[in-house]
Amino acid sequence: MKLKLGLIQIYTGDGKGKTTAAIGQGIRAAGNDLDVYMVQFLKTFFTGELHILDRIDNFEVFRFESEKNFFWNLTEREKKVLQEETDKAICFIEEVIREDKCDVLILDEIFGSLHNGLIDENRILELLKSKPKTMEIILTGRKAPQSFIEIADYVSEIKMRKHPFTEGINSRKGIEY
């Protein structure tokens, strides 16, 4: 099945649930026989969704980064390696869009990579403008730039009102990862 019209969606903000929302949309699409690709940026550790998504034939997850600490804890050498890995991910995305390889393309935490200077904003904007008419693209991450908000068809901002981390409760397996 192909979409008649693919749009651009953004999940942004400082609240929990951006990736979860994108994955939910991807599962809905996969359940309707659409092919889903998710490229994850800045996520190198195992998360629970990977285990279940691996069981869905038409939902593929791609990670190009080797296991690392948080960006702000990286050495200059580690940042250089991350830059090279991010470049490979962008080349892959360019190929996916150019060759119309999937129906739904999720770019998870792309705004984090953009914010950290790992991705050229104009390169991604041009990619989005060149997407096949039938491809849905979902972008996630904090601090979505205004330029992306302007070209998107859906923009959902997830705002943190309260979070257990502020009370000293660390991330919990099965809930936050």
Side-chain angles (χ1 to χ4, degrees), residues 6-143:
L7 301 176
I8 297 172
Q9 300 184 32
I10 291 176
Y11 294 101
T12 192
D14 63 358
K16 176 192 177 314
K18 297 174 289 293
T19 297
T20 305
I23 288 172
Q25 183 65 66
I27 289 171
R28 176 180 287 160
N32 282 287
D33 297 322
L34 296 172
D35 292 320
V36 180
Y37 281 15
M38 180 169 69
V39 178
Q40 289 195 305
F41 295 91
L42 302 175
K43 292 186 177 176
T44 61
F45 297 102
F46 176 81
T47 56
E49 65 266 18
L50 295 178
H51 179 69
I52 199 71
L53 292 176
D54 192 42
R55 298 180 190 179
I56 303 172
D57 292 335
N58 53 333
F59 194 129
E60 294 188 57
V61 179
F62 300 90
R63 287 180 166 184
F64 292 84
E65 299 167 15
S66 54
E67 197 168 296
K68 289 179 194 53
N69 204 326
F70 291 110
F71 184 80
W72 54 87
N73 291 328
L74 299 181
T75 65
E76 288 307 311
R77 184 175 162 277
E78 291 169 322
K79 287 180 182 178
K80 185 177 189 312
V81 170
L82 177 58
Q83 180 66 66
E84 291 167 359
E85 294 167 340
T86 302
D87 290 343
K88 287 179 188 173
I90 298 302
C91 288
F92 173 78
I93 292 164
E94 288 172 336
E95 178 184 327
V96 167
I97 290 173
R98 184 177 56 253
E99 297 181 13
D100 198 7
K101 288 189 170 186
C102 65
D103 302 301
V104 177
L105 176 60
I106 301 170
L107 305 178
D108 185 37
E109 279 302 333
I110 192 162
F111 297 131
S113 289
L114 193 67
H115 181 72
N116 287 318
L118 297 167
I119 298 174
D120 177 63
E121 182 174 329
N122 290 325
R123 186 175 181 185
I124 302 304
L125 288 168
E126 289 306 312
L127 265 176
L128 294 174
K129 292 174 186 173
S130 72
K131 77 169 192 65
K133 182 182 177 193
T134 58
M135 183 183 287
E136 191 88 3
I137 299 184
I138 302 169
L139 303 99
T140 75
R142 295 171 182 246
K143 301 178 184 174

